[in-house]
Amino acid sequence: MSSQTCRGPAYRIHTERLIVRCLNPADARLFQETVDDNLEHLRPWLSWTRHEPRDLDEKIERLRQLRSAFDAGRDFVFGLFTPDQTRMLGASGLQTRPGPGAREIAYWVHRDHCRQGLATEVAAALVKVAFEVEGVSRVEIHCDPRNTASARIPERLGFEHEATLRGRKRDAAGNVCDEMIWTLFKERYPRSVARQAAVCAFDVVGRKLL
């Protein structure tokens, strides 16, 4: 079957430096180790960290839920792995909460691998998958205005800063905070940096999508 007739979702994505793939319950120990090692690094920005750390059984159950949502097409969460897949360097996702025809990209990178361009590399790959595999009309990135490192990523990739919504979410400490909304529309995608990203994507049985 040709790549043109294969459909998503993409279960595994190869970028220049990473394997980005669907998380499985078998990843629970590696997932636990990576999350626990990065809690203080992530707490200022990610609300789910208020429920961490969790034990291994809870991690297994969480990954079962994520895999179920992935298979059902409800949400798509990926782990970021080294090429040999012995280390997990963070996580990302193509979230469906913006509604039909749209995706929201989220990402975090291991504290020891920040400022190396990995988040930009992954975000670019997911932009490409969203438009060329999922066929969406727009991609969004949301971030806290105080997280300037995160905000630079959509800017680099050609997203438009559409709005900063006041007091629309809560941070990990439960405090109300603002949220920046960055958007890249299908019409602007061909001129974006993401369009040139070196990406290969594969479906659940390994057929090439990109």
Side-chain angles (χ1 to χ4, degrees):
M1 183 177 290
S2 69
S3 60
Q4 284 75 21
T5 58
C6 295
R7 297 300 303 160
Y11 276 72
R12 179 167 49 91
I13 302 164
H14 295 186
T15 71
E16 292 184 3
R17 294 176 287 176
L18 296 169
I19 300 294
V20 181
R21 65 165 174 80
C22 173
L23 287 164
N24 298 297
D27 297 314
R29 290 188 185 279
L30 199 53
F31 183 59
Q32 181 184 41
E33 175 185 318
T34 306
V35 169
D36 289 355
D37 197 34
N38 285 272
L39 277 179
E40 297 312 309
H41 165 59
L42 299 174
R43 282 196 199 281
W45 316 118
L46 300 178
S47 59
W48 56 262
T49 58
R50 75 180 71 174
H51 306 297
E52 297 288 348
R54 296 185 178 188
D55 64 29
L56 182 61
D57 287 336
E58 291 174 305
K59 286 292 192 299
I60 292 170
E61 178 58 28
R62 178 57 179 154
L63 292 184
R64 289 181 63 208
Q65 294 169 2
L66 291 176
R67 177 63 195 243
S68 176
F70 202 114
D71 289 337
R74 296 193 304 270
D75 222 0
F76 306 100
V77 177
F78 300 89
L80 314 182
F81 295 88
T82 56
D84 63 5
Q85 299 188 58
T86 60
R87 296 189 63 199
M88 184 175 172
L89 303 185
S92 190
L94 278 173
Q95 299 174 333
T96 59
R97 62 182 179 179
R103 293 287 185 269
E104 179 188 339
I105 293 176
Y107 43 79
W108 63 267
V109 172
H110 193 291
R111 57 187 174 84
D112 293 339
H113 296 270
C114 290
R115 295 180 293 280
Q116 298 177 20
L118 291 180
T120 301
E121 183 175 314
V122 170
L126 292 184
V127 167
K128 195 163 188 171
V129 168
F131 285 118
E132 298 189 26
V133 175
E134 299 291 334
V136 302
S137 59
R138 78 179 191 276
V139 176
E140 300 178 3
I141 292 177
H142 298 194
C143 67
D144 189 314
R146 298 169 296 179
N147 191 348
T148 55
S150 184
R152 282 194 293 269
I153 292 169
E155 186 175 21
R156 290 190 192 108
L157 295 179
F159 282 63
E160 176 186 355
H161 176 211
E162 288 202 290
T164 297
L165 305 180
R166 305 297 182 185
R168 295 299 180 91
K169 60 179 293 186
R170 292 186 181 275
D171 62 20
N175 301 313
V176 175
C177 61
D178 299 343
E179 184 173 40
M180 297 181 82
I181 311 296
W182 297 80
T183 306
L184 181 63
F185 288 95
K186 180 179 179 179
E187 294 76 15
R188 295 189 61 181
Y189 167 65
R191 301 187 300 276
S192 72
V193 173
R195 177 66 180 82
Q196 307 304 319
V199 175
C200 292
F202 304 87
D203 73 3
V204 68
V205 294
R207 293 174 296 185
K208 192 172 184 180
L209 300 167
L210 289 176

